RNA sequence: GCGCGGUUAGCUCAGCUGGUAGAGCAUCACAUUGACAUUGUGGGGGUCACAGGUUCAAGUCCUGUAUCGCGCACCA
């Protein structure tokens, strides 16, 4: 009797499944259960109908999974989206809806190409100079191997999505539909190829949309130069070679003696030049001296002025970020070096009026490499977004799409209201090729899906294929209707518009806005009813996770240490929609304990109900009735929270109910009744315990699918009467 | 510069339509071989950023200030 285990064994009831005799071990159950779920086919709504789990006329519920980038491991943000979407999916499936959670994987154009470039760099190679076809093939292999790895991780997190439908963003169906949209935009006059200022990253050698740039605050020198009779201010002396137009406001009395179009001679960087005076209202009289010279090739504002007055313009900086021959002695220099040298030269010529040292401004940089964006003029394909954006705004006004939270609704509206045309050309190989021909003579662009255009429709010149690819967001913006098989697939008819789009708040404009615009444009309907946005997952102190800081929490490691259920609870309890959350492993550990608590509660209930055979109506005591009423109240409260997407409250509620009420109060109070001699009271209490227990397991399931299903699979038949063999498709509890 | 959000216990955060503050972790004390030490019971700890206002009553509504963060824009 000295050995603790033998002592414990003496209390073991033979009817309790052996699995309950030791603490809950997630590793032992999770893989097996996921395989069983997948095997059952219940992730697929069609199978649910075939097998009678879902009524054929059941209300549909659909979520399109934001396809994770197939270029690496899942991070904590992925774990959060899986958790939230799986909660919604499992909840609605249990409520008997016809549920489709549609998975996918994203080739993630620019993102993946930059990941792959780093890999090339490590191997001492570079994408420049590589045969584009070879490079494409290499990235494809890399992506596909990551894709299957990533899908395995989604399974590990418990995602109950329908793998039989899984789609990859480069699959034929995707390309075909995207081409269809491209052609339709052309036909509708919403597409044009034009020379405009693009955000050029000299490092990545591609243009970027406004969204793909970010601004950083920087303190630079601000120079005042003598420019003929004027003093001009600039932070970028290196662009000033081509500046032969000097601009001021027409109402500026300081310069009233100068007239629009007047020509002046002056001494400039590389000798005497002729400059023309331009009066334009866009000039801010308060800024600097109220006079500026313009560099239309390298500034959007200047470009607009040049267009208004029909001025010519010239490239000063090449695509690699070096000065062109126009700069003469500075030709071939990088910007930073040239800036210094030019200032020196202007100083020796006595043209520097003054230098302000602390000029702070925000500078656009590439969101990937944080190098300065060099505005450049380049021919690109543009989508006229105004009509599309207006339709998206209408959908928000009519509440056909509802954004959670209001804050994000405002951000989205603001963005949609102030939108500029969308540059969809990218100079990278990893993406969907743009099906178009470009005239070598006049640069006219022609949409050509069938590879049939051989001469320019405008000037009869020779044509070449456009070598650019689409902005990833142009194709992923069509994802909801592509996945569902627009226009003819039954899925499209059954599930579009989808019920919920759940995604990260930081891609609201990148993705959600584009999906609305393109979805409405192509199908006539907004792609989703509700948009649930989650924030960033940060470390436990609220710091952004990054490899360099070393504070990255891998969801897979957490899962292996604490169990998937614990991770899911850690991610969802107290995490308000739309706001960032902090993930603390200690918090996850608390829910690991909770999973074990559920396990132990199960052991007790199983033991307490061994003799329970549900026959006849129990004669409930006042205390029994109170417990059941309370259970109903909890059930309706949790159901309401679930319906309102308040998972942070629903999860906390069920947690406290199970631990503090069911375990700490109800079970404790039941012990004396169960060991007493009153058979009716005992039977009634067994009935009550069974109700509370089954109901709790069901309400816990969307949050903690593994431990609850593990328990369910070991429930004896006397507790499971009238219930499905699999908790995943059991019926969500109803109020009595 | 314009717009938006946060500021609540030592830490990280909840708190619905206004009614004298909650959770997890941490901490302290006690208990414990019949479901569970991945435990139980109990406790300490907050003038809910600050200043005004509305109200019988304000983390909860209004105004302003400070501070942190986000979105948009940007001027050469």
């Amino acid at each position: 009797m000295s050995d603790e285990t033998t002592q414990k064994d003496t209390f073991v009831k033979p009817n309790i499944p052996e699995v309950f005799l030791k603490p809950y071990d997630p590793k032992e159950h999770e893989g097996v259960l996921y395989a069983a779920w997948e095997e059952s086919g219940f992730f697929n709504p069609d199978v649910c109908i075939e097998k009678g789990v879902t009524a054929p006329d059941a209300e549909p519920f659909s979520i399109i999974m934001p396809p994770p980038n197939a270029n690496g491991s899942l991070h904590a943000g992925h774990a959060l989206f899986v958790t939230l979407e799986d909660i919604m999916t499992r909840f609605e499936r249990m409520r008997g809806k016809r549920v489709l959670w549609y998975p996918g994987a994203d080739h993630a154009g620019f993102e993946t190409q930059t990941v792959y470039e780093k890999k090339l760099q490590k191997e001492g190679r570079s994408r420049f100079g590589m045969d584009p076809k070879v490079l494409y093939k290499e990235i494809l292999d890399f992506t596909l191997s990551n894709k299957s790895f990533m899908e395995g991780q989604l399974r590990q997190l418990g995602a109950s999505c329908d793998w039989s439908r899984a789609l990859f963003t480069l699959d034929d169906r995707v390309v075909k539909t995207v081409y269809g949209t491209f052609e339709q935009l052309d036909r509708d006059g919403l597409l044009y190829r034009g020379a405009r200022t693009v955000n050029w990253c000299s490092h990545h050698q591609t243009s970027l949309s406004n969204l793909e740039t970010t601004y950083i605050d920087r303190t630079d020198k601000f120079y005042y130069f003598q420019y003929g009779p004027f003093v001009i201010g600039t932070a970028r002396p290196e662009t000033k070679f081509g500046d032969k137009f000097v601009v001021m406001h027409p109402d500026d009395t300081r310069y009233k003696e100068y007239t629009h179009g007047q020509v002046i001679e002056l001494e400039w960087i590389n000798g005497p030049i002729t400059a023309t005076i331009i009066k334009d209202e866009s000039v801010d009289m308060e800024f600097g001296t109220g006079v500026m010279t313009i560099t239309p090739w390298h500034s959007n504002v200047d470009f607009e002025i040049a267009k208004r007055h029909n001025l010519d313009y010239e490239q000063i900086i090449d695509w690699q970020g070096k000065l062109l021959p126009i700069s003469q002695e500075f030709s071939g220099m990088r910007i930073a070096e040239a800036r210094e040298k030019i200032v020196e030269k202007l100083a020796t010529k006595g043209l520097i009026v003054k230098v302000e040292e602390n000029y702070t401004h925000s500078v656009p940089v590439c969101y990937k490499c944080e190098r300065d964006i060099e505005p450049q003029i380049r021919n690109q394909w543009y989508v006229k977004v105004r009509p599309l954006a207006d339709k998206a705004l209408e959908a928000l006004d009519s509440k056909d799409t509802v954004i959670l939270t209001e804050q994000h609704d405002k951000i989205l509206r603001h963005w949609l209201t102030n939108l500029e045309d969308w540059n969809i050309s990218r100079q990278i190989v990893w993406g969907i090729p743009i099906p178009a021909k470009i005239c070598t003579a006049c640069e006219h662009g022609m949409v050509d899906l069938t590879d049939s255009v051989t001469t320019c429709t405008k000037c009869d010149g020779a044509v070449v294929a456009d070598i650019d690819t689409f902005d990833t967001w142009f194709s992923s913006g069509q994802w909801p209707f592509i996945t569902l098989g627009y226009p003819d697939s039954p899925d499209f008819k059954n599930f579009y518009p989808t019920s919920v789009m759940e995604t990260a708040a930081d891609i609201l404009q990148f993705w959600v806005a584009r999906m609305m615009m393109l979805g409405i444009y192509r199908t006539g309907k907004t792609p989703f009813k509700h948009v649930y946005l989650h924030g960033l997952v940060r470390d436990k102190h609220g710091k952004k996770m990054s490899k360099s800081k070393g504070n990255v929490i891998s969801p897979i490691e957490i899962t292996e240490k604490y169990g998937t259920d614990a991770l899911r609870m850690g991610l969802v309890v107290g995490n308000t929609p739309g706001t960032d959350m902090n993930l603390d492993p200690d918090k996850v550990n608390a829910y690991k304990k909770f999973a074990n608590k559920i396990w132990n509660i199960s052991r007790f209930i199983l033991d307490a109900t061994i003799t329970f055979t549900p026959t006849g109506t129990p004669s409930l005591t006042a205390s029994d009735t109170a417990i059941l009423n309370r259970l109903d109240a909890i059930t309706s409260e949790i159901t309401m929270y679930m319906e309102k997407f308040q998972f942070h409250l629903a999860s906390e509620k069920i947690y406290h109910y199970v631990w503090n009420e069911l375990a700490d109060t109800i079970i404790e109070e039941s012990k004396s009744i169960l060991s007493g001699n009153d058979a009716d009271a005992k039977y009634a209490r067994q009935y009550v315990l069974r109700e509370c227990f089954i109901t709790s397991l069901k309400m816990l399931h969307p949050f903690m699918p593994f431990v609850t299903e593990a328990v369910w699979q070991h429930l004896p038949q006397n507790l499971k009467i009238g219930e499905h063999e699999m908790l995943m498709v059991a019926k969500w509890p109803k109020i009595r």
Side-chain angles (χ1 to χ4, degrees), chain A residues 29-30 53 68 183 188-189 255 281 338 520 530 532 563 603 724:
Chain A
H29 301 276
E30 292 184 358
V53 165
E183 189 182 42
D188 291 347
Y255 310 111
E281 297 193 344
I520 297 171
H530 293 281
Y532 181 107
R603 189 195 315 186
H724 197 279

Side-chain angles (χ1 to χ4, degrees), chain A residues 29 69 250 269 305 320 408 504 564 568 598 612 668 695:
Chain A
H29 301 276
N69 296 351
I269 309 171
I305 293 173
Q320 277 71 41
H408 292 99
T564 300
R568 292 167 60 118
I598 294 168
F612 177 68
E668 287 307 319
T695 304

Side-chain angles (χ1 to χ4, degrees), chain A residues 127 135 162 212 291 354 374 422 468 480 506 527 574 604 626 660 698 724:
Chain A
R127 77 155 151 134
L135 177 60
D162 181 6
E212 288 160 328
V291 183
K354 64 172 174 176
E374 186 57 61
W422 178 13
D468 289 349
D506 59 2
F604 176 86
N660 301 332
K698 287 177 173 180
H724 197 279

Side-chain angles (χ1 to χ4, degrees), chain A residues 633-660:
Chain A
I634 292 286
T635 302
S636 72
E637 198 177 346
I638 288 173
T639 306
M640 182 199 72
Y641 285 145
M642 299 294 279
E643 285 170 345
K644 291 164 76 176
F645 302 104
Q646 293 180 309
F647 308 114
H648 63 297
L649 298 178
S651 52
E652 195 175 1
K653 198 84 196 170
I654 186 64
Y655 170 84
H656 281 115
Y657 176 75
V658 169
W659 200 315
N660 301 332

Side-chain angles (χ1 to χ4, degrees), chain A residues 174-241:
Chain A
V174 181
V175 176
K176 205 177 147 220
T177 314
V178 169
Y179 281 6
T181 304
F182 188 61
E183 189 182 42
Q184 192 178 325
L185 285 165
D186 186 41
R187 226 176 21 239
D188 291 347
L190 294 174
L191 183 76
Y192 63 93
R193 187 171 171 84
R196 293 183 32 163
T197 316
V198 299
N199 301 303
W200 185 259
C201 175
S202 301
H203 173 70
H204 285 112
Q205 290 291 295
T206 184
S207 64
L208 298 168
S209 72
N210 285 343
L211 279 174
E212 288 160 328
T213 65
T214 179
Y215 287 83
I216 54 170
D217 287 330
R218 197 187 295 161
T219 303
D220 285 320
K221 288 180 180 170
F222 193 80
Y223 305 93
Y224 288 91
F225 298 134
Q226 195 66 45
Y227 188 84
F230 305 107
V231 174
I232 58 161
T234 185
R236 297 203 60 189
E238 71 279 7
T239 63
K240 294 289 146 198
F241 296 100

